[in-house]
Amino acid sequence: VAATLYRMVHSRQQLFEVLVDHWSNHFSVYMDDYHMMMQTVADRDVLRRHAFDTFRNLLHADAASVAMMQYLNTLQNVARGPNENYAREVMELHTLGVDGGYTEADIKAVARCFTGWNRTDDTWRFEFRSHDHDRGPKVVFGAPIRTSGVDEGHEVLDRLVDHPSCPRHVARRLAMRFVSDAPPADLVERIAGAWRTDGDVRGMLRVLFASPEFGDAVSDPSGGGPAKIRRPLEHWVAVLRALGADASFLLAIPNDGDYDGRPERYLQLMAHMPFRWRSPDGYPDIGRRWNGAHIMLSRWNFGLAAAEGRLRGVDLDLVGQMAADGVAGTADAIVDYWADRLLVRPLLADDRAMLVEEMAGDGSGRISAAEADARLPMVVALLLDSPYFQWR
């Protein structure tokens, strides 16, 4: 968790980190104390290694991941008692979607194909246990499985990637992540059109980023456009990056797990710590899930605590940063500096005037360093907590 958050704040490969987070939700694993070691390996060997790879390779790697096999009960899937958990979720969540064209009979057959997939007892690596495998004939999507043994599971995965529902499902999830909670069907089809044979992730992203829908996805604060609200984790990272925070504190993990006063505590309050979503569908990527009063209050409190320098482990000198950039000591100049630095869309005239008034206090002339130190935190917090910043 600490390494994930640190990379999100400091990595210069931001698209890579966003995509790793996307696949982490797509192939979601709840990381409790038992899963911790396994998920660390899966993060390195599956999500990060295959983030820009083909979807086919990513799916095969994830299916054989010990973390996924433990979480969705593949380790308990044996011939004498097939477990259907992974079979159901790999089709509903990972590849085809809930209406992707599979049946209960397909779920049962797919589960039998994965019997015997397990891990070594000592190194926790993938191991196929042939004595636990169901050797009987199996039919998936109306066609018999042609291979045997461990290859039956891989044949199923290849059939899922080759199924016409898979490109649309993966494309829709990408469009939801980068464009809209309810992406246009035409955009989804265009992204899916770049699938080729194996699920060309880079090709799909190129189509997505070149689309007019992506270009229009930044809304103005008056309410136009299809913009998405930043989920709590995105907001948390954006605040620390925008303020130039040194996130080294993240690597000093409290032995007692006490995050009181630290930035991570706000993620806990906003219910968006990495790898902590209990069900396999991953953290929701729709705005209405994140607009509850308790979550919004925590977002606002985090912005204010960051601006006021009250985050344990984080040393921020906003006045010093402003002085180093040679900002003139007037309310107008200060507000314009921070608005340009923090926001991706211009302030409306009335909003700018309100912030200038807040920064000026009772005066209208130059603002001393002491006055800036007293008033700047509230102005920065208002910017961070505004729709200008909360929306992508």
Side-chain angles (χ1 to χ4, degrees):
V1 171
T4 295
L5 295 176
Y6 182 84
R7 291 182 177 115
M8 285 181 170
V9 175
H10 276 312
S11 175
R12 299 178 70 175
Q13 300 179 70
Q14 281 297 292
L15 177 57
F16 177 76
E17 294 302 325
V18 169
L19 201 57
V20 168
D21 178 63
H22 172 76
W23 295 131
S24 175
N25 277 285
H26 191 95
F27 299 100
S28 181
V29 170
Y30 172 69
M31 194 180 81
D32 55 16
D33 290 342
Y34 182 73
H35 286 91
M36 193 171 296
M37 182 187 303
M38 292 180 282
Q39 185 58 27
T40 300
V41 174
D43 181 72
R44 180 193 67 202
D45 292 349
V46 178
L47 301 176
R48 294 184 173 277
R49 180 169 297 175
H50 297 285
F52 280 120
D53 198 355
T54 65
F55 186 81
R56 189 184 302 274
N57 287 344
L58 176 59
L59 181 66
H60 278 270
D62 179 75
S65 155
V66 173
M68 182 58 73
M69 290 195 297
Q70 171 66 39
Y71 181 56
L72 292 183
N73 306 115
T74 307
L75 303 184
Q76 289 77 48
N77 186 16
V78 294
R80 61 185 177 277
N83 187 296
E84 299 173 6
N85 202 8
Y86 178 72
R88 187 178 304 276
E89 306 302 358
V90 72
M91 290 191 281
E92 177 179 333
L93 300 178
H94 300 170
T95 58
L96 307 184
V98 65
D99 298 318
Y102 59 90
T103 66
E104 284 294 319
D106 290 323
I107 293 173
K108 295 181 182 300
V110 168
R112 293 173 56 220
C113 289
F114 283 98
T115 52
W117 282 43
N118 215 298
R119 65 169 175 84
T120 59
D121 292 327
D122 51 353
T123 61
W124 285 13
R125 295 288 185 178
F126 178 84
E127 178 182 74
F128 179 68
R129 300 182 180 180
S130 58
H131 59 277
D132 285 330
H133 183 62
D134 183 334
R135 294 181 175 84
K138 307 164 186 80
V139 175
V140 176
F141 303 141
I145 294 294
R146 297 181 295 273
T147 54
S148 61
V150 67
D151 291 333
E152 291 182 7
H154 290 294
E155 182 178 347
V156 165
L157 297 174
D158 284 332
R159 287 194 188 184
L160 291 174
V161 173
D162 295 336
H163 193 285
S165 293
C166 192
R168 288 193 295 271
H169 178 68
V170 175
R172 184 174 184 275
R173 290 290 297 268
L174 286 170
M176 286 182 65
R177 179 67 181 82
F178 288 102
V179 176
S180 170
D181 290 357
D186 179 62
L187 173 63
V188 172
E189 290 298 326
R190 277 180 276 136
I191 297 171
W195 182 263
R196 297 186 179 179
T197 57
D198 296 324
D200 182 357
V201 173
R202 291 177 184 268
M204 288 189 289
L205 289 175
R206 289 189 187 100
V207 171
L208 193 161
F209 295 146
S211 70
E213 292 88 348
F214 178 76
D216 293 339
V218 177
S219 170
D220 65 55
S222 62
K228 287 177 66 77
I229 191 171
R230 281 174 165 153
R231 294 181 299 170
L233 178 56
E234 298 170 55
H235 173 71
W236 186 91
V237 171
V239 167
L240 294 179
R241 285 178 62 87
L243 297 182
D246 182 349
S248 298
F249 71 91
L250 288 163
L251 304 182
I253 305 169
N255 293 328
D256 57 3
D258 179 16
Y259 290 116
D260 189 43
R262 286 172 57 123
E264 301 99 314
R265 176 57 178 155
Y266 290 90
L267 277 179
Q268 291 178 325
L269 293 172
M270 292 185 282
H272 206 176
M273 284 286 278
F275 313 113
R276 290 294 193 269
W277 186 255
R278 288 186 177 272
S279 61
D281 55 349
Y283 280 108
D285 204 358
I286 52 176
R288 66 176 180 270
R289 175 56 181 79
W290 305 109
N291 63 3
H294 68 293
I295 293 178
M296 293 306 301
L297 184 61
S298 296
R299 292 166 82 111
W300 297 334
N301 286 337
F302 177 63
L304 183 59
E308 291 183 342
R310 291 188 286 106
L311 298 176
R312 182 159 63 97
V314 181
D315 183 19
L316 287 173
D317 181 5
L318 302 185
V319 174
Q321 291 180 22
M322 190 171 61
D325 285 341
V327 180
T330 65
D332 290 82
I334 292 172
V335 167
D336 289 343
Y337 167 80
W338 285 103
D340 289 344
R341 175 171 165 176
L342 299 179
L343 309 180
V344 297
R345 49 186 68 86
L347 287 169
L348 297 175
D350 289 346
D351 293 338
R352 180 181 179 277
M354 180 271 294
L355 291 167
V356 170
E357 182 179 355
E358 176 72 24
M359 192 68 224
D362 296 329
S364 58
R366 293 191 63 82
I367 296 174
S368 67
E371 290 172 326
D373 192 55
R375 300 171 194 160
L376 182 60
M378 180 55 69
V379 169
V380 170
L382 287 170
L383 288 168
L384 295 175
D385 293 343
S386 72
Y388 294 94
F389 191 87
Q390 299 281 337
W391 291 83
R392 292 184 191 164

